Amino acid sequence: DLGDLREIKYLKIENCKSFESFGNLEQAYWIKIFDCSNLQTLGNLREIEYYLEIENCPNLANLGNLKTIGWDLNLINCPELQSLGNLTNIKKNLLITDCPNLKSLGNLKEVGGSIILKKTGITEEYIRKEKLELLDKCKLELKDEN
């Protein structure tokens, strides 16, 4: 837990089994999180000004209060993640791979670049029915490779 820290420029956490949440952190510029097996939520974090990457966090269940990402979001191998929740805007690219329980893009309304979904539970039918505005604005690749 990052305690009462509310804002940070750069944060990289790697192979930290005791890290469970971002505490009261609300804003950051750049975050990379790798191999944090007990991370469950992004908590109060609301805005990433540039880049967020989360990889190999098997217990990440939700993105907490996150609403905006100023550039790219990469989510890789987060098998418990089911939805992007409150996230509404990604200014550039979205890459999600190896998140098999992800069934919903939540409140996501705008992505400025490409969307790549690989090995997720999201189907093309879901995108066409629930998120057609994303299909029209973005390059969408649904890949179900083994």
Side-chain angles (χ1 to χ4, degrees), residues 73-84:
L73 171 61
N74 295 336
L75 297 169
I76 302 163
N77 194 25
C78 300
E80 292 302 313
L81 186 64
Q82 296 179 15
S83 172
L84 298 186

Side-chain angles (χ1 to χ4, degrees), residues 1 13-20 33-39 57:
D1 182 310
I13 300 175
E14 189 170 352
N15 200 23
C16 185
K17 300 202 184 326
S18 63
F19 186 68
E20 294 180 9
I33 306 293
F34 295 101
D35 300 317
C36 293
S37 58
N38 288 316
L39 176 64
C57 294

Side-chain angles (χ1 to χ4, degrees), residues 34-118:
F34 295 101
D35 300 317
C36 293
S37 58
N38 288 316
L39 176 64
Q40 297 174 13
T41 181
L42 302 188
N44 291 326
L45 190 61
R46 289 189 301 225
E47 181 182 1
I48 304 287
E49 291 180 45
Y50 185 66
Y51 181 82
L52 174 62
E53 181 170 346
I54 301 175
E55 185 171 348
N56 297 328
C57 294
N59 290 309
L60 180 68
N62 66 71
L63 300 183
N65 293 323
L66 188 63
K67 293 193 183 324
T68 302
I69 297 179
W71 200 253
D72 288 347
L73 171 61
N74 295 336
L75 297 169
I76 302 163
N77 194 25
C78 300
E80 292 302 313
L81 186 64
Q82 296 179 15
S83 172
L84 298 186
N86 295 322
L87 185 63
T88 58
N89 187 357
I90 300 170
K91 300 268 197 293
K92 198 69 175 153
N93 301 307
L94 171 63
L95 168 68
I96 303 175
T97 185
D98 296 307
C99 298
N101 288 317
L102 183 71
K103 306 275 193 256
S104 169
L105 296 178
N107 293 331
L108 190 63
K109 296 193 181 348
E110 186 172 345
V111 176
S114 65
I115 298 175
I116 297 175
L117 303 172
K118 184 176 178 181

